[in-house]
Amino acid sequence: MEDQHRAAVPQLRAGALKFPAVLMQGITHIAPAVGLVLSIQYITSLSGVVAPLAYAIAVLIMLALGISLAQLARHFPSAGGYYTYISRTVNPRAGFLTAWLYLLYDPIATAINIAFMGIFFERAMLGAYHIRFPWWLFFLLMLALLTFVVFRGIAPSTHVMVFSGLAEIAIVLALAAWGLLKPGPGGVNLDSYLPARSPSPGGLALGIIFSIFSVAGFDGVVPLAEESADPRRTLPRAILASILLTGLFYLFCSWAVLIGWGTQHIASFAASPENPCFLLARKFWGKAWIFILLAVLNSVFAVSIASTNAATRVLFALGRSGLLPRALGKIHSANRTPSNAIWLQTFITLVVGLGLGFWVGPEQEFYLVGVVITLCLVIIYSLANYGVFRFYRSERESDFRITYHLLCPLVSSLALLVVAFESIYSRPPPPVRYAPLVVISWFALGIGLLLLYRKLGREESVLEAGSKIVQLFEHSVHTPGKSHKDLLS
């Protein structure tokens, strides 16, 4: 009787993912190949020859953040992710604002990635084969395929994601190796890691903040907690391993690509009308340059799967808790996927990707939203870092460690705030310049919603949503006799 009662409650497919699949979720959510190929030229235009140093600093910041996140992931494995963590460790209002900011993160990340890849593909086909393939048509085809794959189930979608992720990494590593074997003017050197070679502190700071956007994504494993085997152990390992592996990839490949181009000609690298990685591939491989394009396509598809899986699980958790419409908590009976959340995510991707793409152009859409997402992450990560310290200091004092629960949260939060300040102070050109205004306006709107709920007498029920997700996890572990329905009623 109890099993029948549980079966009627929306539940994801528990234990479907082992460590390798969860690790690849983190790696492909970071999207190292597309992150490098599509961002290195822009970061070099900001930071010059020290673009690899910008990546390195971003990786160190991400590693400190990953250590903090792992401390919470081992205690609160939930599809709610940061919303759950901050609601539980800081307070429900902070959790609500986290969920609100999250709507400027994973739900729109897929849109900008596919749109940017669309214009990238259009120009590549036009330049190489004189074939015009409109970016918006590429966008629609990719979105249709993505929705089909994600809807089929978490296991099939991760299998596709793992294959695509491994292929993209191998191809870009090969290009980087060729760069070291056949260096351009300047030869093999370490100029890229010398701070004195930076054109300006502001330029390096801008390079770091956009590198953070390129390196961020390790937290994409968190929303898969309820579908992972042994999530208390699997998630922390996957978080840290994904940061370390992709960090090594970025540090080596960004340096080697600049060496292959020639560090004495960095200005031409930044100003190249065609993607420099494509030009290098043609120089080294001739007609086989197409493999780099395939690597980027693979990477975009893999990160789109990872982002969509993460976003739909959080939308599902928010719907299940009542913070969003409860219809989002519906699970497909056969595939065990959050079907309504997937349809909503597809709609968001369509509207944002095509809407912003036609308004400001796919490239500027990518850069603008990239900085918007990064600034949102600065707030979310900082709140989570405070939650780590507060939780271990007040509730797990016997487990408190200065390095893990004080220094890592503090140092990474300060680094994020400094970089965010420098990026705003440097006043990048429009439309990227308006990114802080977008974040401030969105945050203020979230506060306004809370005040409206208070005025309407609904604030308490809204704030209880975060605690319900935590209860759903904690009580199901400690008192397995209680059903999810009991906890959410």
Side-chain angles (χ1 to χ4, degrees), residues 44 47 63 68 129 144 159 162 230-231 234 239 256 329 377 385 443 481:
T44 301
S47 303
L63 185 58
S68 293
Y129 305 112
H159 292 159
V162 168
D230 191 12
T234 299
I239 289 168
L377 289 178
N385 279 341
F443 191 78

Side-chain angles (χ1 to χ4, degrees), residues 151 327-328 330-333 336-344:
F151 199 87
L328 292 174
K330 179 183 177 182
I331 294 292
H332 190 276
S333 57
R336 309 305 303 166
T337 52
S339 53
N340 287 345
I342 291 174
W343 292 125
L344 175 61

Side-chain angles (χ1 to χ4, degrees), residues 426-455:
S426 300
R427 291 181 60 79
V432 177
R433 178 180 300 175
Y434 307 129
L437 181 61
V438 173
V439 176
I440 292 170
S441 299
W442 188 257
F443 191 78
L445 186 58
I447 294 175
L449 278 175
L450 272 179
L451 294 174
L452 177 62
Y453 286 137
R454 176 182 294 181
K455 185 176 181 179

Side-chain angles (χ1 to χ4, degrees), residues 457-469:
R458 295 180 53 198
E459 184 184 32
E460 185 176 350
S461 62
V462 170
L463 296 179
E464 283 177 354
S467 63
K468 285 180 179 179
I469 291 183

Side-chain angles (χ1 to χ4, degrees), residues 31 34 38 106-122 133-148 150 213 296-308 345-357 361-363 365-366 369 373:
V34 72
L38 299 191
D106 258 338
I108 63 174
T110 300
I112 66 169
N113 282 322
I114 300 179
F116 192 76
M117 188 61 235
I119 194 67
F120 196 75
F121 184 78
E122 178 182 325
F133 196 96
W135 70 269
W136 55 265
L137 181 58
F138 176 93
F139 181 96
L140 291 174
L141 293 174
M142 181 74 81
L143 179 58
L145 180 60
L146 171 67
T147 303
F148 171 75
V150 172
F213 169 62
V296 175
L297 288 172
N298 261 330
S299 186
V300 168
F301 192 56
V303 69
S304 297
I305 293 173
S307 295
T308 301
Q345 174 61 28
T346 300
F347 176 76
I348 292 173
T349 301
L350 184 66
V351 171
V352 173
L354 293 183
L356 270 180
E363 278 185 311
E365 173 186 6
F366 184 78
V369 178
I373 289 175

Side-chain angles (χ1 to χ4, degrees), residues 142-178:
M142 181 74 81
L143 179 58
L145 180 60
L146 171 67
T147 303
F148 171 75
V149 170
V150 172
F151 199 87
R152 286 184 59 223
I154 189 65
S157 66
T158 52
H159 292 159
V160 175
M161 181 182 67
V162 168
F163 174 79
S164 299
L166 292 176
E168 70 179 71
I169 291 170
I171 294 170
V172 177
L173 279 173
L175 179 67
W178 246 269

